Amino acid sequence: MGLLILFGVFVLGIVSGVPVAFTLGLAALCGFLYEGLSPAVAFQQMTAGMSMFSLLAIPFFIFAGEIMLHGGIARRLVGLAGAAVGWMRGGLGIVDVSTSMLFGGISGSAVADTSATGTILIPAMKAKGYGVDYAVSVTVTSSIAGILIPPSHNMILYSLAAGGGISVTALFIAGIVPGLMMCLGLGIAAYVVAVRRGYPSEGWAGFRHLAWTFVDALPGLMTAVIILGGVLSGVFTVTESAAFGAIWAVLVTLLVYRNLSWENFLVAVAASVRTTAVVFLLVGTATAFAYLLALYGFADMLTRGMLAISDNPIVILLMINVCLLLLGCVMDMAALILITTPIFLPVVQQIGMDPVQFGMVMMMNLGMGLTTPPVGAVLFVGCAIGKIRIEQVMRTILPFYFAIMLALALTTYWPAVSLTLPRLLLGYGA
């Protein structure tokens, strides 16, 4: 009965349009009251969930991404990608994917990636005769790279939801190959669609121009080097590297590029505060919700139920992938990470999947949800920039979805895709 109350209140809140964070908190409160526990226990669980030191990295990563968005780094990354691959057929589409890979590897935010690259490249593609649906499709799907290629604050949330026992550094490193593989697939899809539609290619400006754009973009690219290099070398913890990365981003945009005005700085700070507040409220309410799930033994019940349907790991992973994809279409990514990790992680561990590998599967699954209606935040941003209806984009976005799903299948069923680098660089699992 307790589970029925918990999920009943949660589903009712979602259907009624109540924000996910408040729905989680209300459902947890009803569960605590049903069990005869004091509401103070729910508050204690929320406070405990938000008080973890590792969560401090999240506001720093978010702030660094906002500074890059408003400080000129994105424009230079677009220039670098254009100099490197713009000469190909449908070159601006390939540039879009490449820029997302570079910018996502610095900001760690799919929405920031879409806002930054989309504002520059979607109008540029329209001016060159590209279809608006193509421009938006490439932009929104490639933005998922920011969720996989480190640093990614969503991986910190996953580690938290898994109980804090999974190394965030291992998760960061594990995301590199799946992220690059997905971007390669999206680049191929962008090229094939561009050839079929007869889109033009840009001229090759030469190696001197490529070298100059690289030097110009290097200070911005150093943000990722500072973050990853500091973590891998052991000089910084993840939280400390996030703080130094944010400081570096401010210094680069303020002193080197000199594109960060006081007004843009205030906009970046305000956006960072809003996003951080939402994330931390989700963490707190989801922690209380997860406490009740553990109290009722829901993960064990789900494991037994899935194993009763099939004990074949391939079938079980397929069921979990389909479930995550469907949930990603109707709920926010951060909330789903916090809710579904305690539910599905014991199931996949029961069939022998490494938790780091499952983290990559979850990131890619739920990242795709950001590009699908009806709740795809990234899709909404891309369509708003391109001034096009979502229905028009959905008619032609399937080749890009196929590229993501192919990368997802390889990541799900081939452990080496996500685990090879952590084992080589960190000795993970040794």
Side-chain angles (χ1 to χ4, degrees):
M1 186 62 187
L3 271 176
L4 288 177
I5 292 174
L6 188 67
F7 282 109
V9 174
F10 177 74
V11 172
L12 182 62
I14 293 297
V15 172
S16 302
V18 178
V20 175
F22 295 110
T23 301
L24 285 170
L26 181 60
L29 180 61
C30 291
F32 279 107
L33 292 175
Y34 173 77
E35 293 299 328
L37 298 172
S38 170
V41 179
F43 179 75
Q44 290 170 351
Q45 290 297 319
M46 290 178 60
T47 304
M50 293 186 288
S51 300
M52 296 184 65
F53 177 77
S54 59
L55 289 178
L56 283 176
I58 293 178
F60 289 124
F61 282 138
I62 293 172
F63 179 60
E66 291 292 338
I67 289 294
M68 294 171 200
L69 175 61
H70 295 93
I73 291 179
R75 178 169 56 82
R76 287 166 172 83
L77 294 178
V78 170
L80 174 60
V85 297
W87 53 271
M88 301 175 68
R89 174 63 68 89
L92 287 180
I94 311 297
V95 169
D96 202 328
V97 175
S98 304
T99 304
S100 293
M101 185 171 64
L102 294 172
F103 187 81
I106 299 175
S107 73
S109 170
V111 175
D113 185 351
T114 303
S115 301
T117 61
T119 302
I120 299 171
L121 284 173
I122 290 177
M125 281 191 264
K126 289 168 65 176
K128 293 287 186 179
Y130 290 71
V132 183
D133 59 330
Y134 173 87
V136 172
S137 295
V138 174
T139 301
V140 300
T141 53
S142 62
S143 68
I144 306 175
I147 299 169
L148 287 164
I149 299 176
S152 170
H153 63 264
N154 288 295
M155 293 183 185
I156 300 174
L157 292 179
Y158 171 73
S159 176
L160 167 69
I166 303 176
S167 166
V168 175
T169 304
L171 290 170
F172 279 4
I173 301 303
I176 294 175
V177 174
L180 293 176
M181 184 171 62
M182 185 186 69
C183 287
L184 176 61
L186 289 171
I188 293 172
Y191 175 78
V192 170
V193 174
V195 170
R196 289 179 58 187
R197 295 190 181 187
Y199 291 151
S201 59
E202 304 295 313
W204 167 246
F207 286 103
R208 177 172 296 189
H209 178 66
L210 175 60
W212 169 247
T213 56
F214 175 76
V215 171
D216 191 35
L218 186 59
L221 291 172
M222 284 298 296
T223 309
V225 175
I226 290 172
I227 293 173
L228 285 181
V231 171
L232 288 177
S233 65
V235 175
F236 303 139
T237 64
V238 172
T239 303
E240 291 166 346
S241 69
F244 276 99
I247 293 171
W248 178 261
V250 172
L251 293 176
V252 166
T253 54
L254 188 63
L255 301 179
V256 179
Y257 294 151
R258 299 184 180 183
N259 289 134
L260 186 63
S261 65
W262 178 247
E263 291 75 15
N264 284 340
F265 178 78
L266 292 179
V267 169
V269 170
S272 301
V273 170
R274 285 194 300 269
T275 305
T276 301
V278 171
V279 170
F280 272 71
L281 182 59
L282 275 171
V283 168
T285 54
T287 301
F289 191 89
Y291 176 85
L292 287 173
L293 290 180
L295 181 68
Y296 294 132
F298 182 73
D300 291 336
M301 293 168 53
L302 182 66
T303 301
R304 290 194 298 270
M306 285 193 168
L307 291 176
I309 296 174
S310 174
D311 59 358
N312 188 327
I314 296 177
V315 175
I316 292 175
L317 290 174
L318 180 61
M319 289 191 291
I320 292 175
N321 270 324
V322 171
C323 185
L324 288 173
L325 284 170
L326 292 176
L327 288 172
C329 293
V330 296
M331 281 186 63
D332 179 73
M333 180 176 185
L336 281 174
I337 292 172
L338 295 166
I339 295 169
T340 59
T341 298
I343 295 173
F344 289 126
L345 184 58
V347 178
V348 299
Q349 288 181 306
Q350 183 78 16
I351 61 175
M353 176 179 268
D354 189 275
V356 169
Q357 180 189 359
F358 180 64
M360 300 307 104
V361 172
M362 177 170 281
M363 294 301 116
M364 202 175 293
N365 257 306
L366 302 184
M368 187 172 176
L370 295 173
T371 70
T372 56
V375 190
V378 168
L379 181 62
F380 290 160
V381 172
C383 289
I385 294 172
K387 297 180 175 61
I388 185 174
R389 293 171 58 87
I390 292 176
E391 294 85 351
Q392 293 174 266
V393 175
M394 295 308 297
R395 296 192 190 105
T396 57
I397 201 172
L398 289 180
F400 303 97
Y401 281 164
F402 177 77
I404 297 173
M405 295 184 73
L406 179 60
L408 173 60
L410 291 172
T411 304
T412 301
Y413 295 111
W414 190 9
V417 170
S418 55
L419 298 181
T420 298
L421 276 185
R423 287 170 177 166
L424 290 175
L425 299 178
L426 305 175
Y428 177 79

